[in-house]
Amino acid sequence: MKTYYLTAVLFALLACNTKQKKQEEQKEPATGEKEVRTSVTREKFGTLPDGKEVERYTLTNTNGIEMKVMTYGGIITSLKTPDKEGKTGDIVLGFDTLEDYLQKVPYFGAIIGRYGNRIANGKFTLDDTEYTLAQNDGKNHLHGGNKGFDKVLWKASEAKVDNGTALKLRYKSKDMEEGYPGNLDITVTYTLTNNDELKVNYRATTDKKTVVNLTQHSYFNLAPDSENILSQELQLNADAFLPVSKTLIPTGELKKVGGTPFDFRQSKTVGKDIEQQDEQLSYGNGYDHCWVLNGENGSMKKAASLYDPSSGRVMEVLTTEPGIQFYSGNFLDGSLTGKGNKKYGFRSGLCLETQHYPDAPNQPDFPTTVLNPGEEYNTTTVFKFSVK
Ligand code: GLA
């Protein structure tokens, strides 16, 4: 009887341990007082219609920044950072349940691929072979197609890092999945450092020539209780942007931002020029364009800085990518109700999607997005959080 009882307890403990695994990984450098630790915990978030289980991980750094990521779409479901008073708030848009994420969602928090942004007419050619992709945005292809990387189940594992906590997500995209050639092996690593940075590293290899352009589609609002992001101040490290056609495909021109509403070289509120009479703004119903970042493609450089005067929150974006799509949430219309019953109205969140230029597979003058067998795709973007 006693043995039976002990075995049962042991089993219960083991089950508990697999369900909710907590690892305390690293100690705060000896400041004397309280010992603060980083941690990663895992929980079940829900079940997909095909019966597969979705997990959600919580990453915490030594300064109390907390990020939740689920294995479906690699979606960041929440990101809590302190304001200037030290009060924590969730600065990304999202939902409370998996079911909500399975409805038609505009890519909240997700990893985007195989090709982030648009490919004109859903077609491109590599070595004389034409590939046809889903036309899921009018006649264009958007964000990897009908079932892009935002809608697949990623395999997660914790990774050891020196100065924080990290989660590795892996996905194998089959040859011709969504029309793209080559078996693509992708690893995205989210690292939350104790310097209050979220580092996103994207790596991929292929067994056949293909195109790749990976990005992260979080919608930020540094003032979570505010209606919209129009009074937040944005700076973009870009002297030029890519004008687009009516269907948001770049025309090929690199246009200087000087004298246009697209000039964010000096920090200004998102709302300052957004209502100007401007053909480009009318095509996007606001900002939905790719800026050409100053500095070298492939080297880490400052891309953007977002500041919310009410909370004091600052988010800087650094990247090895040559471009950044700044999307001011123009398709949000109040029809989605998110976390804590908040209605996501017009421009209630903004995206800063670091990436290669849209439609690069059809525009030979743009930096290439071609990945060959034997090469490694490897880009990094850093979101750094602070207050002022
Ligand atoms: C990107 C696109 C936008 C829009 C959003 C999702 O940012 O550039 O046009 O499709 O994704 O709604």
Side-chain angles (χ1 to χ4, degrees), residues 106-107 117-118 142-143 217 219 248 288 325 327 331 353:
Y107 308 96
N117 219 312
R118 294 174 175 78
L142 176 67
H143 293 337
H217 211 298
Y219 284 65
L248 303 182
D288 194 353
Q325 180 87 4
Y327 166 59
F331 291 118
E353 305 156 50

Side-chain angles (χ1 to χ4, degrees), residues 113-115 119 124-127 129 131 133 141 144 149 173-186 203-214 356 360-362 367-377:
R114 190 176 295 200
Y115 199 95
I119 296 179
F124 68 95
T125 301
L126 282 177
D127 293 341
T129 305
Y131 294 96
L133 310 167
H141 176 81
F149 296 172
S173 170
K174 292 237 162 66
D175 184 28
M176 296 314 286
E177 183 177 299
E178 287 295 323
Y180 292 96
N183 289 296
L184 191 74
D185 209 330
I186 313 114
R203 286 172 195 249
T205 51
T206 184
D207 59 2
K208 217 193 252 176
K209 195 171 193 168
T210 189
V211 294
V212 189
N213 191 24
L214 306 175
H356 271 55
N362 294 309
T368 185
T369 51
V370 171
L371 184 70
N372 291 296
E375 294 173 350
E376 187 186 41
Y377 176 96

Side-chain angles (χ1 to χ4, degrees), residues 36-327:
V36 191
R37 290 159 184 264
T38 60
S39 71
V40 181
T41 63
R42 182 176 71 185
E43 64 189 329
K44 182 181 166 186
F45 189 54
T47 308
L48 293 173
D50 65 4
K52 292 206 175 95
E53 205 169 272
V54 175
E55 294 173 327
R56 185 161 69 166
Y57 287 76
T58 303
L59 279 65
T60 319
N61 81 351
T62 51
N63 305 319
I65 294 190
E66 182 209 84
M67 173 170 102
K68 288 185 190 282
V69 178
M70 69 159 144
T71 47
Y72 176 76
I75 293 174
I76 297 174
T77 60
S78 82
L79 180 56
K80 293 183 179 160
T81 70
D83 65 10
K84 62 185 172 199
E85 255 84 60
K87 200 176 141 250
T88 298
D90 189 351
I91 60 163
V92 293
L93 274 49
F95 300 104
D96 289 321
T97 68
L98 178 64
E99 287 64 40
D100 285 328
Y101 280 102
L102 300 179
Q103 307 306 315
K104 213 172 163 2
V105 173
Y107 308 96
F108 281 175
I111 296 171
I112 305 293
R114 190 176 295 200
Y115 199 95
N117 219 312
R118 294 174 175 78
I119 296 179
N121 303 310
K123 283 195 191 310
F124 68 95
T125 301
L126 282 177
D127 293 341
D128 299 329
T129 305
E130 188 181 71
Y131 294 96
T132 302
L133 310 167
Q135 293 173 303
N136 58 330
D137 185 56
K139 54 188 181 55
N140 299 324
H141 176 81
L142 176 67
H143 293 337
N146 293 323
K147 193 177 177 192
F149 296 172
D150 59 298
K151 294 181 188 69
V152 302
L153 198 58
W154 293 72
K155 256 206 180 81
S157 60
E158 293 164 33
K160 280 257 176 292
V161 284
D162 280 344
N163 183 35
T165 167
L167 188 71
K168 221 175 240 224
L169 295 170
R170 291 193 72 184
Y171 178 66
K172 284 177 195 290
S173 170
K174 292 237 162 66
D175 184 28
M176 296 314 286
E177 183 177 299
E178 287 295 323
Y180 292 96
N183 289 296
L184 191 74
D185 209 330
I186 313 114
T187 305
V188 175
T189 309
Y190 288 123
T191 305
L192 182 61
T193 75
N194 294 331
N195 299 328
D196 298 343
E197 302 152 316
L198 164 59
K199 278 193 190 164
V200 192
N201 176 243
Y202 307 84
R203 286 172 195 249
T205 51
T206 184
D207 59 2
K208 217 193 252 176
K209 195 171 193 168
T210 189
V211 294
V212 189
N213 191 24
L214 306 175
T215 191
Q216 222 294 329
H217 211 298
S218 283
Y219 284 65
F220 296 98
N221 183 346
L222 299 187
D225 296 332
S226 66
E227 291 267 293
N228 58 51
I229 44 74
L230 296 175
S231 58
Q232 296 175 30
E233 296 170 18
L234 179 67
Q235 195 264 331
L236 294 173
N237 183 27
D239 294 340
F241 77 106
L242 302 175
V244 291
S245 69
K246 270 191 187 131
T247 66
L248 303 182
I249 297 294
T251 59
E253 183 195 358
L254 272 61
K255 194 177 160 76
K256 292 269 183 240
V257 292
T260 77
F262 294 78
D263 191 352
F264 281 91
R265 288 172 300 176
Q266 302 294 322
S267 185
K268 68 178 180 189
T269 63
V270 171
K272 180 160 184 284
D273 296 323
I274 204 167
E275 297 301 345
Q276 269 190 30
Q277 290 301 315
D278 177 275
E279 189 176 61
Q280 284 299 314
L281 282 175
S282 76
Y283 290 165
N285 195 21
Y287 298 106
D288 194 353
H289 296 75
C290 186
W291 271 254
V292 175
L293 291 171
N294 299 338
E296 226 178 286
N297 174 17
S299 62
M300 189 58 88
K301 58 203 168 287
K302 206 177 155 205
S305 177
L306 184 67
Y307 168 58
D308 168 47
S310 68
S311 65
R313 284 194 183 88
V314 178
M315 181 178 80
E316 288 161 275
V317 186
L318 295 98
T319 189
T320 59
E321 289 280 16
I324 191 166
Q325 180 87 4
F326 162 41
Y327 166 59

